[in-house]
Amino acid sequence: NTDSVELDIANIKGFLAHCYRRAGEYNKAIEIYREILDKYPEEENTNEYAYFLATAYEAIGNYSESFKLYQNLASTTPENEFVKELIKVSAGVKIEILNGVGKNKICSSLAVVLKKYGVKIKGIDNASNSNFEKTYIISRSEYFKTAGLIGSIIGCANIVQKPKISNNADIIIIIGKDYNNEKLNDFL
């Protein structure tokens, strides 16, 4: 059966890509993961390969490609167990949500969704002003992956990394005028 042979080839290539990634040969891993995703889009481990491709891009500092992959995973398969697990891995991350638009209770629905995935909400407060045009996620470097997933959930691509952002939080979300909480319905 040709389909069976093709899937076997995809799995072997996936194993090889995992080996390269674990050995720190990220560019080789990226090349193979890309090939698998392009040639075998129906392969059962597609989400896993996309996730590991994102981590390989992250490891070489290509955060924009990494973020696109995380965003695609979370937005195209919000009910996927693999995506839920990615967010749960980030359990214990302390997040502060700031209202940058002055609307009452705009932070509440976001807090509910994030808590559902095991994220600790350290606080909800008003931002320094209520004129933020765009929503921002400010993340300590080690929580970039979590920030990317949260960005995917809330439709925010404005993610900034800083070594230290707050004594209380690992990630700060500032809700701006572009924030659309209807996007959260897929995750409730």
Side-chain angles (χ1 to χ4, degrees):
N1 187 336
T2 305
D3 290 343
S4 176
V5 171
E6 289 294 316
L7 289 179
D8 286 345
I9 290 170
N11 286 324
I12 291 167
K13 287 184 178 195
F15 178 74
L16 180 61
H18 290 333
C19 290
Y20 279 132
R21 186 181 51 80
R22 288 185 187 137
E25 297 284 336
Y26 299 111
N27 288 320
K28 289 179 182 177
I30 288 169
E31 183 180 330
I32 296 170
Y33 286 131
R34 274 274 167 227
E35 178 186 348
I36 294 168
L37 293 172
D38 291 343
K39 279 188 172 179
Y40 312 103
E42 301 302 317
E43 205 278 330
E44 66 181 319
N45 296 319
T46 300
N47 288 334
E48 179 182 346
Y49 296 143
Y51 167 72
F52 287 122
L53 176 60
T55 64
Y57 274 125
E58 188 177 345
I60 64 169
N62 190 336
Y63 297 114
S64 63
E65 281 301 313
S66 178
F67 175 74
K68 285 179 199 173
L69 287 159
Y70 290 132
Q71 188 173 35
N72 187 50
L73 271 171
S75 64
T76 59
T77 56
E79 294 304 318
N80 181 287
E81 290 302 316
F82 190 72
V83 174
K84 287 181 182 179
E85 188 59 31
L86 287 178
I87 297 173
K88 286 181 183 176
V89 165
S90 302
V93 174
K94 296 174 286 193
I95 296 183
E96 189 173 356
I97 304 171
L98 301 178
N99 183 342
V101 294
K103 292 182 183 174
N104 287 337
K105 301 185 180 186
I106 194 164
C107 301
S108 300
S109 60
L110 177 57
V112 168
V113 170
L114 295 178
K115 285 179 182 177
K116 175 181 174 184
Y117 289 105
V119 176
K120 292 182 183 174
I121 304 301
K122 195 67 176 165
I124 294 175
D125 205 347
N126 290 318
S128 57
N129 69 66
S130 58
N131 297 318
F132 280 85
E133 291 296 322
K134 295 192 179 287
T135 299
Y136 290 92
I137 299 175
I138 305 166
S139 170
R140 290 175 42 197
S141 298
E142 61 268 31
Y143 297 106
F144 177 77
K145 186 181 305 176
T146 302
L149 288 167
I150 291 169
S152 299
I153 291 170
I154 68 172
C156 175
N158 304 312
I159 301 175
V160 180
Q161 290 186 58
K162 293 192 175 187
K164 185 172 181 174
I165 57 172
S166 167
N167 290 333
N168 298 326
D170 301 314
I171 296 173
I172 297 174
I173 301 168
I174 303 173
I175 296 179
K177 293 177 183 172
D178 64 339
Y179 176 72
N180 179 357
N181 65 359
E182 288 179 21
K183 184 159 175 54
L184 297 177
N185 291 337
D186 291 340
F187 296 89
L188 288 170

